[in-house]
Amino acid sequence: MAGVELYHGDFRKVGDKIEDGSVSLCYSDPEYAFDKLHLYESLAELCLKKLKPGGHLMVLSSTANLLNTMNACAKYLQYWSLCVLTNENGAGFGTDPNTRVEMRHKPVLWFRRSGGGDLDRFVANRVETSSPDKSLHPWQQGAVDAEYYIETLTRPGDLVLDPMMGTGTYPIAALELGRKVIGIEIDFATFETAKARLDTRLVELLI
Ligand SMILES: C[S@@+](CC[C@H](N)C(=O)[O-])C[C@H]1O[C@@H](n2cnc3c(N)ncnc32)[C@H](O)[C@@H]1O
């Protein structure tokens, strides 16, 4: 697919195929559980190599694991802002049985590789989302937030990376906005779902 590279595998290995310093924005949604914290550290380590100077990592997190996920990313990248996704339509972001918090927002951590200078615009740190379609996977997310940040932080032709792409929601958003895309997914069935979605969308965009 032109401008689209999809890989089945573990991003900690497959990520080596990405050219160093080539990615403008990594937008990703890892698993949030406490025992998956290592994914945030590996993601930030990958971004330190693969982002352009000044390139952006925007990564979804959870309120329960916010402090740990921020510290993991801060080992490699420069903290920029905490963003939140909200949904006023009533569909929340689930409940955390440990803290008994009913989540009415989802944090998105914004980090940058240092060396890129100032941004040329103001960027909102809250995005109102829609209720995600979960028809393909229970973890499937909506695209509104990704579309906003891809459009705001990158230009057409820039490379956007999602190394834990699930069903491919964010790579599709990037493709629709005329960006180049790299998507990686470790689970084969989910990878096949993402690939089929991207194939279909690409054909639709070419017609
Ligand atoms: C929360 S889901 C992403 C959902 C996605 N945003 C969507 O809308 O479908 C996280 C995904 O990361 C994948 N994943 C977990 N560890 C991975 C790894 N080491 N390398 C690549 N993918 C991984 C999981 O299989 C899962 O599909």
Side-chain angles (χ1 to χ4, degrees):
M1 286 185 264
V4 180
E5 288 177 48
L6 301 180
Y7 298 100
H8 167 235
D10 188 326
F11 77 84
R12 293 167 290 190
K13 290 185 182 154
V14 178
D16 288 346
K17 296 181 191 220
I18 303 167
E19 188 185 329
D20 287 356
S22 64
V23 176
S24 295
L25 168 66
C26 175
Y27 200 94
S28 201
D29 168 36
E31 296 167 52
Y32 314 129
F34 282 85
D35 64 349
K36 300 288 182 180
L37 184 62
H38 60 91
L39 291 175
Y40 284 81
E41 191 164 335
S42 299
L43 177 65
E45 188 177 12
L46 179 75
C47 284
L48 180 63
K49 278 194 212 142
K50 305 303 173 184
L51 289 178
K52 294 176 175 175
H56 308 272
L57 167 65
M58 300 213 69
V59 58
L60 277 64
S61 181
S62 69
T63 47
N65 213 0
L66 183 59
L67 189 59
N68 293 327
T69 52
M70 289 193 103
N71 283 332
C73 294
K75 284 187 185 168
Y76 296 96
L77 299 170
Q78 180 186 6
Y79 169 74
W80 204 254
S81 184
L82 176 63
C83 304
V84 292
L85 311 184
T86 54
N87 186 336
E88 299 298 337
N89 292 330
F93 296 99
T95 53
D96 177 19
N98 294 320
T99 55
R100 299 194 69 79
V101 171
E102 183 184 314
M103 289 177 280
R104 291 302 178 107
H105 69 81
K106 188 182 282 290
V108 181
L109 319 182
W110 180 6
F111 281 80
R112 296 183 72 190
R113 182 178 165 191
S114 58
D118 294 335
L119 294 177
D120 61 0
R121 63 186 72 186
F122 285 93
V123 179
N125 65 6
R126 183 180 82 89
V127 175
E128 174 69 9
T129 62
S130 53
S131 304
D133 174 6
K134 300 282 186 191
S135 58
L136 294 173
H137 197 286
W139 288 338
Q140 191 178 346
Q141 296 287 0
V144 177
D145 47 305
E147 286 164 359
Y148 173 72
Y149 288 114
I150 291 167
E151 191 155 34
T152 311
L153 296 175
T154 69
R155 300 282 173 272
D158 283 352
L159 179 58
V160 175
L161 166 68
D162 183 354
M164 288 170 273
M165 69 174 164
T167 62
T169 306
Y170 303 153
I172 288 173
L175 182 69
E176 289 176 345
L177 289 164
R179 274 59 169 176
K180 293 186 201 128
V181 180
I182 296 179
I184 305 171
E185 170 56 46
I186 199 167
D187 178 75
F188 186 66
T190 311
F191 172 79
E192 288 289 295
T193 301
K195 187 170 177 310
R197 267 183 103 189
L198 274 139
D199 281 342
T200 304
R201 196 67 194 108
L202 196 64
V203 170
E204 288 167 354
L205 290 170
L206 289 173
I207 291 173

